[in-house]
């Protein structure tokens, strides 16, 4: 299975880049040209071509700002996610280059060169897609922010807010192994694409102590660059902040040391929390392999594995990517599809009774079982071993939900 | 004779400290955040230097830093965007004293410098050394070095000069030959630090770059020494 993404200019059909992933042939220039040609022809007839289904692949086209065409081809990915993927891909293009440069570039070769800067981000976005070709070390979801729940999150939050006040910025977060442990309110007010891109911009780079990268925010500030400053406090724990021209990098570092030095043990505890991603106070049964907790309103998630049963199991049974597949194919389809539509169609009569999506759904396969349950803005999906009787899944899931939401220490 | 003992790491005393720099029992080097440092006895003094990496785009500035930090994973080339600062802890024996040197490598790219004005000034501020990088594959990157060194000597901190040549092939001929290197070294009074193209190694990665790191520390140490003796002369 595989995924391709291609980028062309709308006006001239000049390819700017093309990336791919999976065990597949490279996309030839003639194929790219014909895919673009179909779209262009229909556009001249006032028809907008959105997508098409092949026997094993889906193709989608999307035009951005009347100047860029993105085409994606993938197998095993829903159209909804593919669409989000293209939004994120365009966001990645804006992130390092700025919208102005993309829209009004006179020099196409230079634009191509600028686009190369974001190729590692686009590759990471492709890693988030569900093409099921590998047992990846980390499962990520393209349209949501990855988080970690630890008992120390509240402390981190307080410390982060103090730090951000000094920087005179409202956008900041603490990343533990690439997962958000605490973030300012401003950070959550960013578009989910922006949040995703900012974290990927740091995590897709090779490790270093401090980054200071000029970034444009695709939705909030596509024309004026901010500085994305990331500081590694201890190995695997970083703080990210968006700030203006001041203060200087060395100043920021000095203050970070002052601000976080007294909380070394807290940082170490949070770091240890990975990859379970859940405080020790919430215990998971032996039959539970992992879980995915989603807040679909805020667009964030926690994906955790149960380490307890890891020892006596073959590696690979912990297929947390199954939870992602289950979420995209079943939960988003049956549980949330109504809400997705509602957003786009504002004329829904509010008083009339309407179907608000399934409250629970499950899936059984040879080795695994999955169960999802909706609770307010949250959806909990749990991955079970196949020995769990189907009817007890919901009981266990309910129990986990109760534990998570009754614990006062849990904050995310 | 250099003040820094170049083979100290392989001595019994050096070996006894090396494991503090590894991840647990593996031979992979540990990476430290700004709040951490290797768990050496506190009696060992820590000295910090700031080094600014310069050189043509594509010569391998980022790879050099990755290699010296022990974090180099892939050889995929992407242009550096913005500033990347990497701290590398390195223990050295200077005369009879062990010192923990913290090298702060500031790495950026020509395009970032051109596009955003704050980057160059941030990198040049209070810098201790300029590290000019060229590639043994690319003669023009070597010819750039004198020019780079000249522009940077105007900096008020009078940074030391470090010159690193990447993609060196010890057993076959390079585009830049030994005579050229010799001539350059004599003229500028700096020793070119070579980094091999091939990855060798049965030894742990830390021993592979010990020569290069010791050489860098030596240059910095000599600059400090000169600076102090000048101060003494004035007073």
């Amino acid at each position: 299975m595989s995924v391709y993404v291609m980028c062309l200019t709308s006006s001239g059909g000049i390819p700017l880049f093309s990336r791919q992933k999976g065990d597949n042939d490279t996309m030839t220039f003639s194929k790219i040209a014909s895919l673009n040609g179909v779209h262009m022809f229909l556009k001249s007839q006032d028809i907008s071509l959105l997508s098409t289904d092949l026997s094993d692949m889906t193709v989608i086209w999307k035009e951005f700002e009347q100047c860029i065409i993105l085409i994606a081809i993938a197998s095993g990915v829903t159209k909804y996610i593919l669409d989000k993927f293209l939004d994120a891909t365009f966001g990645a293009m804006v992130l390092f280059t700025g919208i102005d440069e993309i829209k009004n570039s006179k020099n196409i070769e230079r634009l191509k060169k600028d686009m190369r800067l974001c190729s590692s981000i686009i590759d990471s976005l492709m890693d988030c897609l569900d093409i099921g070709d590998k047992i990846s070390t980390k499962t990520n979801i393209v349209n949501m922010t990855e988080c970690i729940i630890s008992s120390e999150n509240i402390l981190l939050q307080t410390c982060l807010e103090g730090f951000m006040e000094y920087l005179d910025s409202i956008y900041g977060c603490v990343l533990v192994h690439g997962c958000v442990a605490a973030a300012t309110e401003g950070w959550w007010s960013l578009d989910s694409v922006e949040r995703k891109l900012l974290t990927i911009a740091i995590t897709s780079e090779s490790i270093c102590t401090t980054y200071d990268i000029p970034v444009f925010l695709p939705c909030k500030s596509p024309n004026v660059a901010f500085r994305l400053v990331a500081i590694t406090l201890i190995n695997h724990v970083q703080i990210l902040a968006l700030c203006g021209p001041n203060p200087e990098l060395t100043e920021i570092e000095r203050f970070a040391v002052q601000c976080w030095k007294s909380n070394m043990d807290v940082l170490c505890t949070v770091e240890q929390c990975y990859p379970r991603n859940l405080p020790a106070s919430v215990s998971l049964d032996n039959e539970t392999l992992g879980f995915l907790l989603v807040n679909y309103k805020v667009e964030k998630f926690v994906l955790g594995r149960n380490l307890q049963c890891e020892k006596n199991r073959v590696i690979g049974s912990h297929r947390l990517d199954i939870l992602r597949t289950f979420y995209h194919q079943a939960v988003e389809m049956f549980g949330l599809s109504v809400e997705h539509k509602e957003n786009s169609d504002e004329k829904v009569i509010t008083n009339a009774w309407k179907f608000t999506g399934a409250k629970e759904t499950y899936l059984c396969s040879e080795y695994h079982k999955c169960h999802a349950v909706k609770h307010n803005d949250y959806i909990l999906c749990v991955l079970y071993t196949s020995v769990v009787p189907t009817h007890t899944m919901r009981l266990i899931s309910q129990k986990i939900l109760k534990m998570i939401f009754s614990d006062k220490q849990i904050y995310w | 004779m250099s003040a820094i003992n170049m083979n100290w790491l392989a001595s019994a005393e050096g070996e006894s400290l090396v494991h503090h720099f590894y991840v647990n029992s593996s031979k992979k080097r540990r990476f430290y955040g700004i709040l951490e440092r290797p768990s050496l006895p506190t009696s060992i003094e820590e000295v910090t230097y700031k080094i600014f990496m310069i050189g043509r785009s594509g010569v391998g500035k980022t790879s050099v830093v990755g290699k010296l930090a022990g974090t180099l994973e892939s050889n995929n080339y992407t242009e550096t965007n913005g500033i990347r600062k990497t701290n590398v802890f390195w223990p050295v024996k200077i005369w009879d004293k062990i010192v923990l040197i913290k090298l702060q490598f500031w790495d950026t790219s020509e395009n970032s410098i051109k596009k955003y004005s704050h980057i160059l000034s941030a990198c040049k501020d209070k810098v201790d050394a300029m590290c000019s990088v060229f590639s043994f594959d690319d003669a023009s990157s070597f010819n750039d070095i004198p020019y780079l060194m000249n522009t940077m000597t105007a900096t008020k901190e009078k940074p030391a000069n470090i010159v690193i040549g990447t993609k060196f092939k010890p057993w076959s001929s390079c585009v830049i030959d030994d005579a050229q290197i010799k001539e350059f070294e004599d003229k500028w009074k700096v020793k070119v630090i070579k980094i091999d193209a091939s990855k060798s190694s049965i030894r742990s990665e830390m021993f592979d770059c010990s020569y290069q790191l010791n050489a860098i520390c030596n240059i910095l140490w000599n600059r400090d020494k000169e600076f102090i003796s000048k101060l003494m002369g004035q007073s």
Side-chain angles (χ1 to χ4, degrees), chain B residues 43-75:
Chain B
S43 58
I44 295 178
E45 203 183 321
E46 186 183 304
V47 186
T48 306
Y49 292 108
K50 173 174 175 177
I51 301 167
F52 177 23
M53 308 293 288
I54 46 177
R56 277 218 171 179
S57 81
V59 291
K61 296 182 286 296
T62 308
S63 296
V64 166
V65 176
K67 184 158 182 163
L68 298 179
T71 55
L72 192 62
E73 277 159 19
S74 67
N75 286 317

Side-chain angles (χ1 to χ4, degrees), chain A residues 288-305:
Chain A
T288 324
L289 296 173
F291 73 94
L292 169 69
L293 180 64
V294 171
N295 182 330
Y296 63 91
K297 284 270 163 68
V298 185
E299 297 179 287
K300 59 179 184 178
F301 73 95
V302 181
L303 185 72
R305 64 176 65 212

Side-chain angles (χ1 to χ4, degrees), chain A residues 171-189:
Chain A
Y171 307 107
C173 74
V174 182
L175 284 190
V176 178
H177 287 269
C179 314
V180 173
T184 58
E185 225 170 276
W187 189 267
W188 292 116
S189 76

Side-chain angles (χ1 to χ4, degrees), chain A residues 205 209-210 212 232 235 253, chain B residues 34 36 83-85 87:
Chain A
E205 288 254 353
T209 315
T210 313
D212 186 344
T232 309
N235 204 1
E253 252 186 23
Chain B
I34 55 163
E36 300 170 297
I83 304 173
R84 294 170 51 101
K85 183 186 157 208
N87 291 351

Side-chain angles (χ1 to χ4, degrees), chain A residues 99-373:
Chain A
I99 195 78
D100 198 46
E101 194 65 30
I102 295 176
K103 270 167 125 173
N104 307 318
S105 181
K106 304 231 161 34
N107 185 344
I108 218 80
E109 287 308 312
R110 209 175 103 195
L111 187 59
K112 269 191 200 171
K113 199 171 164 239
D114 283 342
M115 289 299 111
R116 257 179 253 153
L117 285 176
C118 64
S119 50
S120 64
I121 296 195
I122 295 173
D123 290 350
S124 303
L125 289 172
M126 286 199 278
D127 285 335
C128 299
L129 296 179
D130 193 15
I131 56 167
D133 61 332
K134 56 159 191 183
I135 302 165
S136 59
T137 47
K138 205 157 177 243
T139 305
N140 206 335
I141 297 179
V142 76
N143 57 334
M144 290 190 283
T145 308
E146 190 179 13
C147 300
I148 180 170
I149 306 179
S150 82
S151 46
E152 318 288 333
N153 279 10
I154 301 175
L155 271 169
L156 288 181
Q157 183 81 30
T158 326
C159 206
L160 175 71
E161 270 158 20
F163 179 69
M164 294 313 294
E165 211 164 285
Y166 164 77
L167 288 188
D168 201 16
S169 157
I170 56 167
Y171 307 107
C173 74
V174 182
L175 284 190
V176 178
H177 287 269
C179 314
V180 173
T184 58
E185 225 170 276
W187 189 267
W188 292 116
S189 76
L190 293 171
D191 188 81
S192 71
V193 168
E194 292 171 333
R195 282 181 336 232
K196 192 87 212 163
L197 292 173
L198 292 173
T199 45
I200 288 186
I202 298 302
T203 50
S204 69
E205 288 254 353
S206 60
I207 189 165
C208 77
T209 315
T210 313
Y211 306 81
D212 186 344
I213 309 173
V215 290
F216 297 90
L217 301 176
C219 310
K220 260 207 160 71
S221 171
N223 283 312
V224 182
F226 278 82
R227 283 163 71 207
L228 172 63
V229 175
I231 299 177
T232 309
L233 293 174
I234 64 170
N235 204 1
H236 305 302
V237 180
Q238 295 165 307
I239 26 173
L240 264 56
L242 285 177
C243 46
N246 288 313
E248 277 177 37
L249 192 56
T250 2
E251 279 289 299
I252 300 178
E253 252 186 23
R254 193 175 314 134
F255 190 75
V257 172
Q258 249 179 54
C259 193
W260 295 89
K261 202 167 58 191
S262 53
N263 288 308
M264 266 295 265
D265 45 337
V266 177
L267 295 171
C268 292
T269 319
V270 183
E271 199 270 322
Q272 295 294 319
C273 197
Y274 179 87
R276 193 172 186 266
N277 294 355
L278 206 60
S281 58
V282 182
S283 61
L284 297 173
D285 295 335
N286 270 332
E287 297 76 29
T288 324
L289 296 173
F291 73 94
L292 169 69
L293 180 64
V294 171
N295 182 330
Y296 63 91
K297 284 270 163 68
V298 185
E299 297 179 287
K300 59 179 184 178
F301 73 95
V302 181
L303 185 72
R305 64 176 65 212
N306 187 2
L307 299 172
Q308 226 161 24
C309 50
E310 198 156 60
K311 290 161 228 143
N312 40 22
R313 244 167 237 293
V314 238
I315 300 165
S317 68
H318 258 88
R319 295 284 305 274
L320 291 186
D321 59 315
I322 292 175
L323 276 174
R324 175 176 62 186
T325 314
F326 175 63
Y327 182 78
H328 288 325
Q329 306 277 351
V331 180
E332 275 182 342
M333 264 330 182
F334 305 125
L336 300 176
S337 54
V338 185
E339 306 211 9
H340 290 325
K341 275 185 203 125
E342 202 178 299
N343 291 336
S344 52
D345 185 13
E346 283 175 14
K347 282 180 198 150
V348 177
I349 308 149
T350 41
N351 272 336
W353 183 87
K354 60 178 195 292
F355 176 62
T356 53
K359 286 200 157 45
E360 277 177 77
T361 175
Y362 71 95
L363 172 142
C364 302
S365 72
E366 199 177 342
Y367 303 110
H368 301 99
K369 287 182 181 177
C370 298
H371 176 252
V373 53

